[in-house]
Amino acid sequence: MTSLDLFQKRFAHFLSAPADKNISSPVAPGVLKGISLADRANIYRNNVHVALIDALKATYPAILRLVSNEFFEFAARKYMEEHWPTSPVILHFGSSFPSFLESFEPASSVPYLADVARLERFYVEAFHAPEADPLPGSALDGLPANLETRLVLHPSSRLMTSAFPVSRIWELNRTDQPIKSGTKVGNDAEFLLIVRPMARVEVRRLRKSTYMMMQSLKEGRPLKDAFKAAFDADKDATPETDLRDLARGDTFIDLRENLSR
């Protein structure tokens, strides 16, 4: 390993260390314009940490509002101790933040927090997903002509379920607008489809039967399996109608016949 490689490795380790950890700076001793090079390195490290925390705040605005700025920054610093960025693309940073919150003991008093964070993450992923031309709404008018047909979901599609009304909590907390007095959230479980067929991300609430059907389709299963999943969840399910409604919402991009599993 060259001296440059060694310095870069030591400096990367220095940057990822928490500010309160006593790790010596890898830069050589010296003073530049009245400030020691070691102090300058510490300032740089602090700026890196602040930038990463700001990136998390931008991805998880509802979480920030739900827990306060002080708690969010505390959680973010603990998160960075275990999940330092591994990609130069800042968009990828924080993908495991919802899972971290799920097991973060100081956040245990807010049991829905991890699921709200998961919804926020899916929203960002959907926003940045590839473009794709949706099937026309009329493409499914003849179904179920062939129950071996497979439907391909839009690449922005994300599915999630929660024991809490996370979409409503998210809607009320994603901006700084005051919450009206008397606003009710409810306590129902939710089954959600997050998708961006055009320019705007949509968070759609689904029935359990529709969700199970969509989960089956997302796994690449044929319509016969997707319909069975819907009826297993609810004997009164209406999968054909649900599919047509979803198609009119630009949810699917392709219809394929007789593909092997």
Side-chain angles (χ1 to χ4, degrees):
M1 182 178 291
T2 67
S3 57
L4 177 59
D5 291 336
L6 181 61
F7 172 78
Q8 290 176 334
K9 184 176 181 179
R10 290 180 59 201
F11 194 65
H13 176 67
F14 168 76
L15 288 179
S16 65
D20 58 354
K21 291 292 183 5
N22 187 21
I23 296 180
S24 60
S25 168
V27 301
V31 175
L32 179 63
K33 295 183 179 179
I35 303 177
S36 73
L37 295 182
D39 285 343
R40 287 179 179 273
N42 283 323
I43 292 171
Y44 184 80
R45 176 174 64 174
N46 183 67
N47 287 342
V48 170
H49 285 221
V50 169
L52 291 175
I53 291 172
D54 286 346
L56 287 176
K57 288 179 180 179
T59 300
Y60 301 100
I63 299 300
L64 175 60
R65 187 176 187 189
L66 284 165
V67 302
S68 82
N69 186 70
E70 292 73 20
F71 186 91
F72 190 100
E73 292 193 356
F74 166 68
R77 291 186 186 279
K78 291 296 183 182
Y79 173 73
M80 288 190 295
E81 290 180 18
E82 303 173 17
H83 304 275
W84 192 253
T86 57
S87 168
V89 181
I90 197 66
L91 176 66
H92 297 161
F93 177 61
S95 60
S96 57
F97 193 54
S99 298
F100 167 81
L101 289 176
E102 202 163 29
S103 59
F104 188 47
E105 197 280 331
S108 60
S109 62
V110 190
Y112 52 79
L113 201 64
D115 280 354
V116 175
R118 194 164 288 113
L119 173 54
E120 294 206 280
R121 185 69 204 179
F122 284 158
Y123 187 96
V124 170
E125 290 179 3
F127 182 81
H128 291 280
E131 300 283 350
D133 293 329
L135 284 174
S138 60
L140 305 187
D141 284 352
L143 290 178
N146 182 356
L147 287 177
E148 293 296 332
T149 297
R150 287 166 169 80
L151 285 169
V152 181
L153 277 64
H154 193 280
S156 67
S157 298
R158 304 290 188 274
L159 290 164
M160 71 167 286
T161 183
S162 173
F164 307 97
V166 289
S167 69
R168 184 64 174 144
I169 296 170
W170 168 75
E171 286 172 349
L172 292 171
N173 289 281
R174 62 188 301 231
T175 71
D176 291 330
Q177 294 297 318
I179 299 174
K180 295 180 180 178
S181 176
T183 298
K184 295 182 179 180
V185 174
N187 56 7
D188 294 333
E190 286 191 337
F191 302 88
L192 303 175
L193 167 65
I194 301 95
V195 63
R196 193 222 63 239
M198 296 301 180
R200 184 172 63 88
V201 178
E202 300 174 8
V203 177
R204 303 175 184 171
R205 301 180 183 94
L206 306 177
R207 291 178 298 178
K208 182 179 180 180
S209 59
T210 310
Y211 177 89
M212 298 307 297
M213 177 180 67
M214 290 293 288
Q215 186 65 54
S216 182
L217 292 173
K218 192 172 181 66
E219 293 170 358
R221 299 182 181 278
L223 281 177
K224 64 179 182 181
D225 290 353
F227 282 17
K228 182 178 184 303
F231 286 120
D232 285 347
D234 181 356
K235 63 181 179 59
D236 296 320
T238 55
E240 296 175 45
T241 300
D242 295 344
L243 275 181
R244 294 189 187 97
D245 289 343
L246 287 162
R248 284 192 287 270
D250 297 331
T251 307
F252 306 107
I253 63 169
D254 200 4
L255 189 154
R256 300 173 181 172
E257 304 284 349
N258 300 321
L259 295 181
S260 60
R261 293 189 182 215

